[in-house]
Amino acid sequence: MSTVPTFQFVESDVTPKDVRLATWICFFAWTFAVYDFVLFGNLLPKLASDLGWSAAQSTGINTWVTAGTALVAFAIGPIVDRIGRRKGILIAVSGAAVASLLTATVGWVAGIAAGLGLVFLVLVRSLAGLGYAEQAINAAYLNEMFAHSHSNPAMARRRGLIYSLVQSGWPVGSVLAAGSVYLLFPIGGWALCFAVAAIPAVFIVLAGRWLKESPQFGHRHQIDKMIKDGRVEEAQQLGIKYGVDVSEKSSPLVSVFRGESLRSTLTIGGAFLLNWLGVLSFAILGTSLLTAPDGKNVEFDNALLVLIISNATAFAGYLFHGWLGDRIGRRNAIGIGWILCAVSFFTMLQAPNGNFPLIIGLYSAGLFFLIGPFSALLFFTGESFPVHTRATGSSIINASGQVGAIVGGLLITATLAAGAGWINATLWWGVIPILASGLLIFAARNVDPGTVRKD
């Protein structure tokens, strides 16, 4: 007579200390991913000058790199849903470091063949999309870790603020990148800057040995293994215990366009894409808008001042919207923030030229409400998907931002080429998309910030 083996549920051994350590590692991983990501934009003019690339070639390279970044950032999501969040973080950090090192060798490759150097740079900087994807992986991982450690309503309402501190690695990394250029470029040029950018990854990968896999992914992985082994009944028991949908057996890339995941993919992804047109108009191309004669015509020789303003407002905006999302819901905080952003930038565009304090004040307010909601958005993305599609959904939404940047770049370029000027270009392809993104996000499913999603 055969006996059926008794299955023992494996409980997670993740402690609050493990969650705190994971939070810090995610912060530094994101900070130095941004460091590399921003460094390329800062040094591209110098790199192009040294290698003899024309302005058109430089712009074309940046467009192809953006496309490659989006592709890589999209592709990593399904992989992370298969192999786990911990490994995904280490892959993203390592990929960004390898991209930095290889970027430092572009000069040698271009010396062999100029065309080969162009292709090599596009491929290498596309690999840096792994670093850009770090924020999506962080969102999925920390959402699950916080669900384990912040399970009661009082602690649950602190998750957004804590995550906003992690996401603040963007302004911190941007300032570090600018500082490294200031210190290292006179010594060894752009190649040394990229080589040094890879060093922090070594320490983050070593620290990653202490990262523990999230309990939710562990449960899902355990269930999938049982189903594969034919232990369906036991898998169903475990699914009921942990609130995991055992019936969903499709690949994450298919499942993300089904059921509740479909609504989140379309609404949050669409809002993210639209908003990145605004990010391109006012954050990335903000200096051009402010200084152009057909823009605001501001005498703005000190680029460092723009950097300080943009990153200080971004940092404050992250914390504010992270805190606000914990109180009124992340979806509501994002929508309100982006609508106020559109109002701020519209008012700035209409303000009379020559009024420097008014223009910079409205520009700062616009950046505060443009960049700040991203800390709430990324965490909101994590809590809008089940564990089976969480990393895939987050990565698709994250990659849509790069698609928005490409679309925005083409539209702004065409508008300027038609002679419309910076005011009209940023009104049509900056203010209006930002307003549309703020309205569209309200079509996403609202999530009570006091509840914790266990699946």
Side-chain angles (χ1 to χ4, degrees), residues 37-38 42 170 174 275-290 300 303 305-311 313-314 318 338 341 345 348 362-364 366-372 374 405 412 422 426 429-431 434:
F37 191 71
V38 172
N42 289 347
W170 179 279
S174 297
N275 193 261
W276 255 86
L277 272 74
V279 171
L280 179 74
S281 296
F282 295 107
I284 298 175
L285 300 178
T287 305
S288 299
L289 166 66
L290 290 171
F300 221 46
L305 181 58
V306 179
L307 179 71
I308 293 172
I309 290 173
S310 62
N311 286 289
T313 52
Y318 282 145
W338 282 346
C341 168
F345 281 136
M348 184 198 77
L362 290 169
Y363 177 67
S364 299
L367 288 176
F368 181 90
F369 291 115
L370 172 68
I371 304 299
F374 278 96
I412 290 174
W422 274 99
T426 52
W429 311 123
V431 172
I434 291 171

Side-chain angles (χ1 to χ4, degrees), residues 78-167:
I79 295 174
V80 173
D81 272 329
R82 289 291 186 188
I83 66 174
R85 311 341 184 180
R86 176 184 176 276
K87 291 179 181 177
I89 289 172
L90 298 181
I91 289 173
V93 171
S94 301
V98 170
S100 291
L101 284 175
L102 292 179
T103 304
T105 68
V106 166
W108 300 338
V109 176
I112 299 173
L116 182 62
L118 290 172
V119 174
F120 181 72
L121 179 63
V122 170
L123 292 175
V124 165
R125 294 314 305 174
S126 295
L127 180 63
L130 288 172
Y132 174 74
E134 178 71 43
Q135 63 178 342
I137 302 172
N138 280 353
Y141 179 58
L142 291 179
N143 202 285
E144 294 170 359
M145 294 293 274
F146 290 168
H148 181 75
S149 64
H150 295 65
S151 55
N152 67 67
M155 295 186 69
R157 289 185 179 274
R158 296 171 52 201
R159 293 175 300 160
L161 179 59
I162 295 172
Y163 182 77
S164 70
L165 291 168
V166 175
Q167 190 60 23

Side-chain angles (χ1 to χ4, degrees), residues 27-388:
F27 167 76
F28 286 112
W30 176 230
T31 295
F32 289 108
V34 171
Y35 178 29
D36 166 78
F37 191 71
V38 172
L39 195 63
F40 176 69
N42 289 347
L43 290 173
L44 181 58
K46 295 291 184 182
L47 195 152
S49 176
D50 284 356
L51 299 180
W53 296 339
S54 66
Q57 282 179 308
S58 180
T59 304
I61 288 170
N62 191 59
T63 300
W64 281 107
V65 166
T66 303
T69 298
L71 183 63
V72 172
F74 165 79
I76 191 64
I79 295 174
V80 173
D81 272 329
R82 289 291 186 188
I83 66 174
R85 311 341 184 180
R86 176 184 176 276
K87 291 179 181 177
I89 289 172
L90 298 181
I91 289 173
V93 171
S94 301
V98 170
S100 291
L101 284 175
L102 292 179
T103 304
T105 68
V106 166
W108 300 338
V109 176
I112 299 173
L116 182 62
L118 290 172
V119 174
F120 181 72
L121 179 63
V122 170
L123 292 175
V124 165
R125 294 314 305 174
S126 295
L127 180 63
L130 288 172
Y132 174 74
E134 178 71 43
Q135 63 178 342
I137 302 172
N138 280 353
Y141 179 58
L142 291 179
N143 202 285
E144 294 170 359
M145 294 293 274
F146 290 168
H148 181 75
S149 64
H150 295 65
S151 55
N152 67 67
M155 295 186 69
R157 289 185 179 274
R158 296 171 52 201
R159 293 175 300 160
L161 179 59
I162 295 172
Y163 182 77
S164 70
L165 291 168
V166 175
Q167 190 60 23
S168 70
W170 179 279
V172 174
S174 297
V175 171
L176 287 175
S180 71
V181 171
Y182 178 78
L183 294 174
L184 299 175
F185 187 82
I187 300 174
W190 54 265
L192 178 62
C193 295
F194 283 112
V196 170
I199 295 175
V202 176
F203 298 99
I204 295 171
V205 170
L206 290 175
R209 294 180 303 170
W210 286 280
L211 283 176
K212 289 186 177 179
E213 188 53 84
S214 76
Q216 287 164 297
F217 178 82
H219 298 153
R220 178 74 206 197
H221 182 71
Q222 202 171 2
I223 288 170
D224 288 343
K225 188 174 185 304
M226 287 179 186
I227 294 174
K228 186 177 180 180
D229 294 341
R231 300 156 65 189
V232 178
E233 186 175 343
E234 293 175 89
Q236 290 173 339
Q237 291 179 46
L238 190 59
I240 293 171
K241 179 179 176 66
Y242 292 116
V244 176
D245 183 6
V246 179
S247 65
E248 183 54 82
K249 300 175 184 177
S250 302
S251 70
L253 194 53
V254 173
S255 299
V256 79
F257 292 104
R258 291 180 175 175
E260 66 160 319
S261 294
L262 175 61
R263 179 179 176 182
S264 298
T265 301
L266 296 180
T267 55
I268 306 176
F272 202 101
L273 188 154
L274 287 169
N275 193 261
W276 255 86
L277 272 74
V279 171
L280 179 74
S281 296
F282 295 107
I284 298 175
L285 300 178
T287 305
S288 299
L289 166 66
L290 290 171
T291 59
D294 58 353
K296 300 312 296 179
N297 198 25
V298 172
E299 291 294 333
F300 221 46
D301 296 330
N302 190 351
L304 182 60
L305 181 58
V306 179
L307 179 71
I308 293 172
I309 290 173
S310 62
N311 286 289
T313 52
F315 184 82
Y318 282 145
L319 299 187
F320 173 76
H321 288 89
W323 169 85
L324 184 64
D326 282 334
R327 278 145 184 81
I328 67 171
R330 276 165 268 284
R331 185 198 68 175
N332 299 334
I334 297 162
I336 292 171
W338 282 346
I339 290 172
L340 290 175
C341 168
V343 172
S344 299
F345 281 136
F346 175 79
T347 307
M348 184 198 77
L349 293 178
Q350 306 310 311
N353 288 3
N355 192 331
F356 179 83
L358 178 61
I359 292 172
I360 296 305
L362 290 169
Y363 177 67
S364 299
L367 288 176
F368 181 90
F369 291 115
L370 172 68
I371 304 299
F374 278 96
S375 65
L377 178 74
L378 289 158
F379 198 80
F380 178 58
T381 299
E383 62 188 3
S384 296
F385 290 92
V387 63
H388 182 54

Side-chain angles (χ1 to χ4, degrees), residues 443-455:
R445 184 178 61 88
N446 197 21
V447 179
D448 182 352
T451 63
V452 175
R453 184 164 191 160
K454 295 293 188 179
D455 67 329

